[in-house]
Amino acid sequence: MQAAIDGEMRLLDPEVRASPDRVLELLDPEWTEIGASGRWWDVESILTVTSGGSVSPESPVKVSEVSGAVLAPGIVHLTYFADNQGRRVWRSSLWRLTETGWRMYFHQGTLASCSSL
């Protein structure tokens, strides 16, 4: 589980996000996301956004309440809150172990209220 958490945190790092090659190391080729906006993303569309500096070093994403569960051998589900520039999002992702290491397979963000359950 820790490898998936580490991968998730790397994907939030502005330096990693600015490098398409580093992002591709962490995303499964079949990766998709349903964003907090309701938009559907695939690998190609997210690389356009991340390489454009979607998270700045001056305003890093603050992560809290990270939780994970092993759903099956080689499959991990993570949830956490991500706060960035006044926007709080409840994040959920599925990671799977591949021949090249842990890769995010699916991600979803949902706008959250100021408090958790």
Side-chain angles (χ1 to χ4, degrees), residues 6-115:
D6 292 345
E8 190 86 40
M9 296 306 110
R10 283 195 307 274
L11 281 170
L12 295 173
D13 181 314
E15 287 184 26
V16 171
R17 293 174 72 87
S19 168
D21 289 337
R22 291 176 74 186
V23 172
L24 286 173
E25 290 173 1
L26 296 165
L27 296 183
D28 191 275
E30 298 176 21
W31 177 88
T32 59
E33 174 178 338
I34 301 169
S37 65
R39 180 177 174 179
W40 180 84
W41 301 86
D42 61 10
V43 173
E44 185 177 317
S45 61
I46 202 67
L47 287 177
T48 301
V49 172
T50 58
S51 62
S54 59
V55 175
S56 73
E58 296 79 32
S59 181
V61 176
K62 294 179 184 141
V63 174
S64 61
E65 299 185 45
V66 177
S67 179
V70 175
L71 301 180
I75 305 288
V76 171
H77 178 229
L78 300 179
T79 59
Y80 61 96
F81 281 107
D83 293 282
N84 185 256
Q85 299 179 354
R87 187 173 182 223
R88 185 172 177 88
V89 178
W90 183 240
R91 302 243 172 228
S92 174
S93 59
L94 292 174
W95 286 78
R96 68 179 176 180
L97 185 58
T98 69
E99 292 177 1
T100 59
W102 285 93
R103 291 180 173 234
M104 184 188 285
Y105 177 74
F106 176 77
H107 188 80
Q108 181 166 355
T110 303
L111 289 177
S113 63
C114 292
S115 63

